[in-house]
Amino acid sequence: MSDPRLQILGNTDPDATVTINGVSVLVRGDGKFFDQVALNPGVNTFTIIATSRLGKSTTIIRDIGVK
C-alpha cells in the first residue's frame, strides 16, 4: 500500500506568496495554488501562510489525523 497523501488546494491574490509547512508553493496567475503532501500515522499539522506583496500575511493551521 502506498503512503496516504493529502491535496491542499486554495485561492489567494495572484501576487501573493504561499508556503505550506515552510515550503514555497506555486501560485497560478488566477490565484489558485495546490500541493500534495504525505501523511504520517497520528496527527499531521499543516501551516499554510499566504503573504501579500505588501507584507500582510494570513495563516491557517489544520490538523489531520491518520489511523
Side-chain angles (χ1 to χ4, degrees), residues 12 60 65:
T12 189
I60 296 174

Side-chain angles (χ1 to χ4, degrees), residues 1-60:
M1 185 167 118
S2 64
D3 293 333
R5 300 189 70 73
L6 174 71
Q7 287 189 3
I8 298 176
L9 311 165
N11 291 311
T12 189
D13 187 278
D15 294 328
T17 58
V18 175
T19 61
I20 299 174
N21 289 351
V23 178
S24 292
V25 176
L26 177 68
V27 177
R28 297 184 346 187
D30 59 2
K32 294 181 181 179
F33 65 90
F34 73 95
D35 195 15
Q36 193 175 70
V37 293
L39 294 172
N40 298 311
V43 177
N44 296 264
T45 300
F46 297 98
T47 303
I48 304 160
I49 302 173
T51 305
S52 74
R53 61 187 163 130
L54 300 176
K56 181 180 176 187
S57 65
T58 301
T59 302
I60 296 174

